[in-house]
Amino acid sequence: MARVSVIVVNYNSGDRLARCIACLELQTFRDFEIIIVDNASTDGSLSAEAITTPRLRVISSNENLGFAAANNLAVRDATGDWIAFLNPDAYAERDWLSALMSAVERYPWADAFGSTQLMASDPDVLDGAGDVFHILGVGYRGGFGQSAANLPEDGECFAPCAAAALYRRDVFTALGGFDERFFCYGEDVDLGFRLRLRGGRCIQVNRARVLHEGSGISGRYSTFTIYHGNRNRIWLTYKNVPDFLYWGLFPLRLAFDLYLYARSFSIGAGKAYRRAMIDGYAGLSAFRNDRRKIQAARRLSYAEFAKLAAWSPLALTGREIRLAPIGTEKSA
């Protein structure tokens, strides 16, 4: 029995996986287990010598389950009361888990915690400081590409990025875990969205730091990333945005989708983006019941939700960090 279960989903991660596990073995906080879910990798990444620590268990799948389903599978097998999600291309600093668990003690009312993500290629540049949801239907990593010198202290974020995040196990389970229909990308924003709508709280922890390659395996502008990222943001927006704001801003979001479609041709991703739009909007009916249940369980008012979302176009284009001052247990 461990206090924290660290879950790493592997799919042809190459030598990144060994580096990820080696960094975990150096953690100053020791009360944790490691669970690797291998999604039918064929690159031999599990055969590295570093993948032999006694605190590690491997769950092997005969197929690529995707990020969402693989993590859900591991949570069911985990022993910890806290679940730490870590990408295989995220390399934790020695005190990463220690900083997260210290935050648990400081903010005992919080349900989830996010990490400072620094560019693996240049640690002076931020890869992300908490996920942000823009009202136009886009989730993004706050501070992406900005100087790490601009990083604020701990604050409340919209949602923690699951490249390096910590969740209460019972809260994660009560929310139904990651939505497996997403397969990969956006499922962390969707999960955090559902948590926030129920009145849950998320803290971004300054001193919990990892080096992150960011789509180092799938590629930031690959067909896979463009398709899943854009299809899934359409789904999570429909599932979670309250009625008045969803339907009232629908024409504006559609116009923004068309703008992004036109822009996608500049990076050679027009076909992938078009397919994402078609499958995204055509697939909304499958989420109708989810939407009803989520909105019925919503504890936030329209005004409270509106305050959580980003509205300014400059916030989106500039990848603005949005961390609210940490309030009290009773605040929303």
Side-chain angles (χ1 to χ4, degrees):
M1 298 290 293
R3 190 175 183 199
V4 180
S5 296
V6 182
I7 299 173
V8 181
V9 175
N10 179 57
Y11 178 66
N12 292 335
S13 302
D15 57 6
R16 297 179 180 89
L17 180 64
R19 180 181 175 185
C20 174
I21 301 303
C23 289
L24 286 175
E25 273 297 282
L26 295 174
Q27 293 297 298
T28 56
F29 178 90
R30 305 302 294 171
D31 191 5
F32 71 97
E33 64 175 349
I34 305 170
I35 302 175
I36 295 176
V37 181
D38 185 66
N39 275 336
S41 296
T42 58
D43 66 342
S45 49
L46 278 177
S47 61
E49 184 177 347
I51 318 298
T52 58
T53 169
R55 71 174 68 243
L56 183 150
R57 288 181 286 135
V58 176
I59 299 174
S60 297
S61 171
N62 294 324
E63 60 180 328
N64 185 0
L65 300 174
F67 182 84
N71 273 304
N72 289 346
L73 176 64
V75 170
R76 292 193 289 271
D77 197 56
T79 66
D81 292 329
W82 289 91
I83 305 295
F85 301 104
L86 187 67
N87 279 7
D89 61 356
Y91 314 118
E93 294 190 354
R94 288 173 57 90
D95 60 350
W96 172 62
L97 279 175
S98 177
L100 287 174
M101 297 312 292
S102 293
V104 168
E105 300 300 321
R106 290 197 304 277
Y107 316 114
W109 37 262
D111 304 295
F113 298 84
S115 307
T116 295
Q117 296 170 202
L118 303 170
M119 295 281 192
S121 59
D122 185 355
D124 291 328
V125 179
L126 285 173
D127 176 73
D131 282 346
V132 181
F133 179 77
H134 195 280
I135 202 65
L136 289 177
V138 179
Y140 66 87
R141 297 197 299 275
F144 178 82
Q146 298 179 20
S147 170
N150 298 331
L151 184 67
E153 289 300 315
D154 295 358
E156 293 201 48
C157 61
F158 183 85
C161 176
L166 183 73
Y167 267 85
R168 293 184 186 274
R169 178 178 177 166
D170 58 349
V171 171
F172 180 86
T173 302
L175 290 167
F178 292 119
D179 190 328
E180 298 183 5
R181 292 166 293 187
F182 283 41
F183 191 76
C184 187
Y185 292 114
E187 62 282 288
D188 52 352
V189 180
D190 172 68
L191 179 69
F193 211 141
R194 287 181 273 134
L195 173 63
R196 294 297 256 159
L197 289 176
R198 291 192 182 190
R201 311 279 291 283
C202 306
I203 300 294
Q204 183 67 19
V205 184
N206 176 299
R207 289 170 178 78
R209 303 189 173 195
V210 301
L211 301 179
H212 186 220
E213 293 188 27
S215 298
I217 299 166
S218 58
R220 188 180 175 197
Y221 295 114
S222 68
T223 297
F224 178 90
T225 302
I226 294 295
Y227 172 75
H228 286 87
N230 285 286
R231 181 198 65 178
N232 293 354
R233 70 176 179 81
I234 292 172
W235 287 352
L236 76 88
T237 300
Y238 175 74
K239 278 180 65 178
N240 296 294
V241 174
D243 292 339
F244 175 75
L245 292 174
Y246 181 82
W247 297 112
L249 294 172
F250 184 82
L252 190 60
R253 284 200 313 277
L254 186 59
F256 183 66
D257 284 340
L258 294 175
Y259 162 75
L260 291 179
Y261 175 50
R263 185 180 171 188
S264 67
F265 286 93
S266 66
I267 58 173
K271 290 183 179 179
Y273 191 91
R274 181 172 64 248
R275 187 162 61 93
M277 293 298 98
I278 293 171
D279 292 351
Y281 283 107
L284 291 184
S285 60
F287 296 91
R288 191 172 294 125
N289 288 334
D290 298 82
R291 177 176 175 79
R292 291 195 188 106
K293 292 177 181 178
I294 290 169
Q295 299 309 316
R298 175 169 57 88
R299 297 179 183 175
L300 293 187
S301 66
Y302 280 108
E304 288 169 331
F305 165 71
K307 188 176 180 180
L308 290 178
W311 288 76
S312 168
L314 296 178
L316 180 57
T317 57
R319 295 296 191 266
E320 177 187 64
I321 298 174
R322 285 181 58 86
L323 299 182
I326 297 174
T328 65
E329 181 178 355
K330 294 182 180 179
S331 66

